[in-house]
Amino acid sequence: MMINVTNYNNDQEKALGELGRRIPTYHLIDVWKHLKNNLGVFASVSKEEPVINAIHNRVSLKEIKNQNNWEKGFDKGYPLYEKGDIERKSGNILGAIELFDKARYNGYNAPALYSSYAMAYRKIKDYDNEIAILDEAIERLKSENTHYGI
C-alpha cells in the first residue's frame, strides 16, 4: 500500500514539473457517489440466468451417426464441414449452417466445426443458437474427455 502512495506522490511531482500543475485524482467510490447524486439511481444487474430460445433443425446428440468411431465421423463429416466453411466465408451463412448440420450428423466432432457454427450464427445475429451450439461443444468435449479418462 505504501508503494501506491509513493507512486502517487512521485506522479504528482512529475506532473507539477512537466505540466506546471498537479493532476486531480479521485477514489472510485467518490466517482460513484458523484454519478449517483447527479444521475439518480442506477439499474441493478440481474443475476438470473438468461433464457435461451434456440430454434434449429439439428438432430439430437443421440441421433448422430458414427459417435463411437471418430475416424469414420471425420471421413464422412469433414468434407461437409470444409464446404460449409467455404460457404460461410463467402457469405452464404444459411447454406453453411446446413452443411455444418450434415457434418455434425455424420459424426464430425471437432472444435473447428463448433467454432464455424458459432461464427455463422453470430454473423446472422442468432445469439441463442450461437450459445446453444457452444454449450453443445462443451458438453461433447466433456463427454469425450470422460470417455478417454482425461
Side-chain angles (χ1 to χ4, degrees):
M1 191 66 114
M2 189 63 149
I3 294 170
N4 291 338
V5 173
T6 304
N7 287 341
Y8 169 79
N9 290 335
N10 290 339
D11 290 343
Q12 287 297 327
E13 292 303 317
K14 186 176 177 183
L16 186 59
E18 291 180 14
L19 302 174
R21 65 182 178 89
R22 293 186 184 274
I23 298 176
T25 58
Y26 305 96
H27 289 279
L28 189 55
I29 194 73
D30 294 331
V31 172
W32 176 77
K33 286 178 184 177
H34 173 74
L35 291 172
K36 186 174 179 186
N37 289 337
N38 290 321
L39 299 177
V41 178
F42 294 106
S44 63
V45 176
S46 173
K47 295 187 190 245
E48 294 179 18
E49 287 289 320
V51 176
I52 299 172
N53 297 313
I55 298 171
H56 55 76
N57 295 325
R58 291 187 299 275
V59 298
S60 72
L61 287 176
K62 295 175 189 170
E63 297 175 48
I64 291 177
K65 296 179 178 180
N66 308 312
Q67 284 193 57
N68 298 321
N69 187 339
W70 191 90
E71 289 177 6
K72 190 172 182 182
F74 179 87
D75 291 342
K76 299 279 186 183
Y78 180 76
L80 295 164
Y81 155 74
E82 197 171 35
K83 288 177 188 172
D85 213 35
I86 291 168
E87 291 296 315
R88 178 186 64 80
K89 290 175 182 175
S90 71
N92 181 7
I93 305 302
L94 297 179
I97 291 171
E98 187 176 315
L99 287 162
F100 296 153
D101 287 343
K102 289 177 182 177
R104 176 183 166 273
Y105 174 69
N106 281 291
Y108 185 57
N109 180 24
L113 171 66
Y114 288 101
S115 177
S116 292
Y117 253 129
M119 286 187 277
Y121 285 125
R122 169 70 55 103
K123 185 74 173 177
I124 59 173
K125 298 182 184 338
D126 186 349
Y127 303 120
D128 288 341
N129 271 311
E130 179 184 6
I131 292 168
I133 202 67
L134 291 171
D135 283 343
E136 178 182 306
I138 292 166
E139 181 181 329
R140 286 186 81 181
L141 182 61
K142 282 182 185 176
S143 172
E144 192 174 284
N145 286 342
T146 302
H147 176 74
Y148 293 112
I150 298 174

